[in-house]
Amino acid sequence: MTPNKGNGRPKIKMEKMENESNLNVTFAKRRRTLFQKAASELCILCGAEIAIIVFSPSGMLIHMWTLPARFDIATRLDIKSR
Amino acid sequence: MTPNKGNGRPKIKMEKMENESNLNVTFAKRRRTLFQKAASELCILCGAEIAIIVFSPSGMLIHMWTLPARFDIATRLDIKSR
DNA sequence: TTACCTATGTTTAGTAA
DNA sequence: ATTACTAAACATAGGTA
């Protein structure tokens, strides 16, 4: 184990990431956090109901909702993957 | 200005907040961050497209999307406030 | 209500395995 | 693809005004 420097988290520019590998890792991390924050926390803490629809960088459709019964997003949108 | 203690952020339990005033403030803060994170950052950094639909604790409908042209959520859902 | 403060809790970019 | 690590960046609950 070469001791790595461990420079911590750099500040990033708000623009599309160039490096595709980093982009995919970042997308996975942030998507996870987004869903957890949105679904688990905002819903539980505040009694909100949330639906999120995402097209990933590669065009994949991801969706989630915490709506108990108010309406059925998937049905009403007739969601299909591309 | 009485010098306040500034105790910082306490850890909270993951359950519906009791205090309604705190709940509303927290909802506003988190909703803002959620939208900014979801829209501004995930979209810009990773080229994702996102739509979010939220019913607030008081039942108000809030929605946003960063979808350029893929589809029109509002139209397809025929969204109306309650 | 809104806005600011602040210490602390949480996320995360880059890197490596 | 995933996972772990680290330290800095960031979010945020409660308080104050």
Side-chain angles (χ1 to χ4, degrees):
Chain A
M1 317 97 146
T2 323
N4 85 22
K5 202 133 115 301
N7 277 343
R9 175 189 180 189
K11 183 165 217 162
I12 58 170
K13 288 173 65 183
M14 276 310 292
E15 61 185 25
K16 182 157 185 181
M17 300 176 78
E18 309 261 339
N19 184 298
E20 194 171 342
S21 174
N22 285 352
L23 186 152
N24 286 327
V25 173
T26 291
F27 178 75
K29 288 175 175 177
R30 282 174 174 262
R31 182 191 57 188
R32 176 189 162 89
T33 302
L34 169 66
F35 282 5
Q36 282 186 347
K37 280 288 188 194
S40 178
E41 296 199 0
L42 197 55
C43 177
I44 292 173
L45 291 174
C46 305
E49 302 179 9
I50 304 173
I52 304 183
I53 301 165
V54 176
F55 282 103
S56 77
S58 58
M60 200 175 75
L61 176 63
I62 308 148
H63 51 98
M64 64 130 297
W65 52 90
T66 68
L67 306 173
R70 188 100 59 175
F71 57 87
D72 183 348
I73 297 284
T75 298
R76 291 179 64 175
L77 282 178
D78 188 29
I79 282 174
K80 317 178 193 33
S81 297
R82 307 183 319 140
Chain B
M1 312 100 143
T2 324
N4 83 27
K5 201 134 116 301
N7 278 343
R9 176 190 178 188
K11 184 165 214 162
I12 59 169
K13 289 174 63 183
M14 275 308 293
E15 61 185 27
K16 181 155 184 183
M17 300 177 78
E18 308 261 339
N19 184 299
E20 195 170 344
S21 175
N22 285 352
L23 186 150
N24 285 328
V25 174
T26 291
F27 177 75
K29 287 177 176 178
R30 282 175 175 263
R31 182 192 58 189
R32 174 190 164 87
T33 302
L34 170 66
F35 282 6
Q36 282 186 346
K37 280 287 188 192
S40 179
E41 297 199 1
L42 197 55
C43 176
I44 293 173
L45 291 175
C46 304
E49 301 180 9
I50 304 172
I52 303 182
I53 301 165
V54 176
F55 281 103
S56 78
S58 59
M60 198 175 77
L61 175 62
I62 307 147
H63 51 97
M64 63 129 297
W65 52 90
T66 66
L67 306 173
R70 188 99 60 175
F71 57 87
D72 183 347
I73 298 285
T75 298
R76 291 181 62 173
L77 283 176
D78 188 28
I79 281 174
K80 318 178 190 36
S81 297
R82 306 181 324 136

